[in-house]
Amino acid sequence: TEQGVVSWPDFRSLFQQWEPSLGEDDLQGLWRSFDKDGDGSVTREEFVSALAPATQAAAAHTEDVCKRVASMLFQNGRTVTQLFDALSAGQEQVAFEDFRSLFQQLEPSLTLPDLQALWRCFDKDGDGGVTRQEFLKAMAPSAKLVVQKVTDVCGQVTQLLQQQGKSVEQLFDALAENQVVRWEAFCAFFQGVSSSLSEPDLHGLWHS
């Protein structure tokens, strides 16, 4: 940058380094999408504005993946801390290869650039490793959302029982077969309470 703006030669060099497949026409088209006022330079505001949609899309994608991981953990009765311990194998940090292996297994559609972007959301200081604190902080919002969803459903059940003047014991008796509630009956009841519950949500609720 020169005097707080990005020049065309610097812009071209950077994006060609990031994406070698970009041709001259591609680079010039990209430049025009940044240089909105056509003055031959890109200000900080123009640069941030041009990248905002892609940044927001990447953040939404990352959040979606983390939610799926949190649902998987809840479904299997495991915590984020236990996941970190499994990935780090007793070390202070999780390495990229172990991180990549896990998330690619959970979400096979993730490409290497997706995984690298996801990694950067965890490795905030960019030191090449994810500490326990970084891992828990990155996963915390998604884990809370999953738990909150289950809490909300249980609250709906409690409210429903109160409205009908029934107890938890009576609900159990209605659902149970030979003093045991089967998975099918459990699913049917809770899907009736909240139709938005996915199968992972139901598994998580079942294990809780």
Side-chain angles (χ1 to χ4, degrees):
T1 62
E2 183 180 344
Q3 298 180 345
V5 297
V6 178
S7 66
W8 160 246
D10 291 336
F11 180 94
R12 181 178 183 273
S13 175
L14 174 68
F15 279 89
Q16 205 163 37
Q17 182 182 341
W18 279 352
E19 188 52 67
S21 65
L22 290 172
E24 191 67 24
D25 289 343
D26 297 324
L27 288 163
Q28 288 179 350
L30 191 61
W31 169 257
R32 287 192 293 273
S33 71
F34 279 74
D35 182 20
K36 293 293 187 185
D37 58 9
D39 67 352
S41 63
V42 173
T43 64
R44 181 184 298 275
E45 290 75 18
E46 286 176 321
F47 196 86
V48 171
S49 176
L51 284 176
T55 303
Q56 290 165 359
H61 186 55
T62 297
E63 183 182 344
D64 185 50
V65 172
C66 287
K67 280 181 186 176
R68 285 200 286 272
V69 173
S71 293
M72 179 274 297
L73 290 173
F74 193 71
Q75 176 181 337
N76 289 283
R78 299 182 68 192
T79 65
V80 175
T81 299
Q82 288 173 320
L83 177 60
F84 176 86
D85 290 338
L87 284 174
S88 63
Q91 302 300 310
E92 294 294 320
Q93 295 183 327
V94 173
F96 176 69
E97 283 308 314
D98 295 323
F99 179 93
R100 175 186 176 185
S101 176
L102 170 79
F103 280 89
Q104 208 159 33
Q105 181 182 342
L106 293 172
E107 192 61 47
S109 65
L110 290 173
T111 63
L112 182 57
D114 291 334
L115 290 160
Q116 289 170 334
L118 188 62
W119 171 257
R120 287 192 291 273
C121 292
F122 281 74
D123 181 20
K124 290 295 187 183
D125 58 9
D127 67 351
V130 172
T131 64
R132 182 184 298 272
Q133 184 178 0
E134 286 176 322
F135 196 84
L136 295 179
K137 187 174 181 180
M139 285 296 302
S142 299
K144 284 178 182 176
L145 280 174
V146 171
V147 173
Q148 186 60 50
K149 191 170 187 177
V150 172
T151 302
D152 291 345
V153 172
C154 289
Q156 288 176 297
V157 171
T158 301
Q159 188 176 17
L160 183 65
L161 290 174
Q162 288 174 344
Q163 289 173 349
Q164 296 179 353
K166 293 181 179 179
S167 66
V168 175
E169 287 78 11
Q170 287 173 311
L171 174 60
F172 176 85
D173 291 338
L175 294 176
E177 180 183 340
N178 297 324
Q179 295 300 305
V180 176
V181 177
R182 306 292 180 189
W183 167 248
E184 293 77 11
F186 180 91
C187 284
F189 173 74
F190 278 95
Q191 277 184 324
V193 172
S194 179
S195 59
S196 67
L197 288 172
S198 64
E199 189 163 340
D201 293 331
L202 289 164
H203 277 288
L205 196 57
W206 173 260
H207 285 286
S208 69

